[in-house]
Amino acid sequence: MKTQFYFLFLYIFAFLVILASSEFIYKRIPISAEYTRKISHIISTLTSLTFVYAFQSHWFVLDLAAFSFLLLFIGKLNNAFRSIENVSRQTQGSYLLPIGIYISFAFSDILNNRLLFILPILILGISDTSAGMIGILYQKKERNISVLGGTPGKTFAGTFTFLTSSFIISFATIMAFGYNIPKVFVLTIYISLATTITELICPYGSDNLTIPTFASIILAYSI
């Protein structure tokens, strides 16, 4: 039990280091907050993958998620973390991220299957970041996608990047867990399409919550 608390404090410290480093880079280097936000996003999500080796219970991850949520939420209200919040668009993605990570980990822990956590977080970290970066590059060059009469600020290039990367990640990860080829293909199609649609239609950064949640649910009911 003591070891679990040590890990908890270690991850809290690591999270603060990531946040502080992002602020330092943003203040010292003339760089858009969109980029420091994406860097922090991918580092935080990929770091969280190690939770499966550090924590034996989702309750410790809940404590970490609650701390992160409160810090980021209060920070947003007070404009404290400009490296991740000083963007032109309206977003709540920063403080929704730890909730999405926790929910996915809880599914994995309760159902005793690491795939339910590892795959959704890989997609959230890599596919979502890649789509965001490509979307930034092409946002001024192409018209945004219209969904149900609204424009969620997503580009065709960004959405295609998300779909392609999530397909590759899903296929490789599910294969690595030893499932047979037909199962791999079915799950890959389910997950890549579902997460791409989720990323496309969820506004204001809410996909940081919905992508890992829906991906974990789909895996839980499909495996």
Side-chain angles (χ1 to χ4, degrees), residues 39 62 120 146 153 185 190 203 223:
I39 293 170
L62 177 60
S146 177
F185 273 108
Y190 281 172
I223 292 177

Side-chain angles (χ1 to χ4, degrees), residues 35-126:
Y35 294 107
T36 49
R37 181 184 178 91
K38 294 301 180 186
I39 293 170
S40 298
H41 176 88
I42 192 169
I43 292 175
S44 298
T45 51
L46 296 186
T47 298
S48 71
L49 287 173
T50 60
F51 289 173
V52 296
Y53 304 106
F55 296 115
Q56 299 173 2
S57 170
H58 65 89
W59 296 111
F60 289 97
V61 179
L62 177 60
D63 292 336
L64 179 59
F67 170 82
S68 303
F69 170 82
L70 289 173
L71 180 64
L72 292 169
F73 182 75
I74 294 171
K76 183 176 179 65
L77 292 179
N78 294 279
N79 196 29
F81 307 124
R82 301 190 66 195
S83 65
I84 60 174
E85 299 295 356
N86 194 24
V87 293
S88 58
R89 54 196 169 86
Q90 183 180 354
T91 177
Q92 288 82 45
S94 59
Y95 57 81
L96 291 179
L97 178 62
I99 301 176
I101 291 174
Y102 166 70
I103 291 175
S104 186
F105 185 88
F107 270 104
S108 172
D109 181 45
I110 293 170
L111 297 177
N112 194 30
N113 189 334
R114 290 179 174 178
L115 179 62
L116 274 63
F117 178 68
I118 292 175
L119 178 53
I121 299 305
L122 281 173
I123 292 174
L124 181 62
I126 299 174

